[in-house]
Amino acid sequence: MEEESSNPDVYPIPSEYELVDFVGSGDFGIVVKCKKRDTGETVAIKVSRLVQYATREVGLLTICVKSDTQ
Ligand SMILES: Nc1ncnc2c1ncn2[C@@H]1O[C@H](COP(=O)(O)OP(=O)(O)OP(=O)(O)O)[C@@H](O)[C@H]1O
């Protein structure tokens, strides 16, 4: 039986995206392959289990992007 944490149906995907496939899961959430409905662009969306995890990861990625562009 599929583990609940690996089931994309239990996670919200923004309505402008269509769910294509489940990609993988980490300690803090899942990653799904999606297609943007208006442009057809393929993207990976990470859905964190808790908003605190998302906030922390966005903060860390922001630091990485800033460091990379300096
Ligand atoms: N942008 C991406 N494109 C394609 N696959 C991705 C992308 N981001 C993550 N993945 C896949 O989804 C899986 C889960 O990613 P996730 O970031 O949730 O966990 P992780 O990389 O194992 O780290 P952690 O457990 O610390 O969160 C990854 O192992 C990888 O296979």
Side-chain angles (χ1 to χ4, degrees):
M1 189 172 104
E2 189 179 43
E3 188 187 341
E4 183 181 323
S5 62
S6 299
N7 181 356
D9 292 340
V10 303
Y11 295 98
I13 304 297
S15 60
E16 61 266 40
Y17 293 92
E18 175 188 344
L19 179 66
V20 175
D21 204 2
F22 174 79
V23 176
S25 63
D27 292 336
F28 304 108
I30 62 154
V31 175
V32 288
K33 179 179 178 180
C34 293
K35 186 154 68 167
K36 197 159 192 288
R37 295 183 194 278
D38 58 350
T39 64
E41 179 187 12
T42 297
V43 299
I45 294 182
K46 181 166 182 174
V47 183
S48 293
R49 292 192 175 92
L50 293 174
V51 69
Q52 291 94 327
Y53 295 159
T55 303
R56 186 171 60 185
E57 185 154 10
V58 168
L60 289 170
L61 290 172
T62 301
I63 292 169
C64 290
V65 169
K66 280 185 186 162
S67 303
D68 198 39
T69 54
Q70 287 174 353

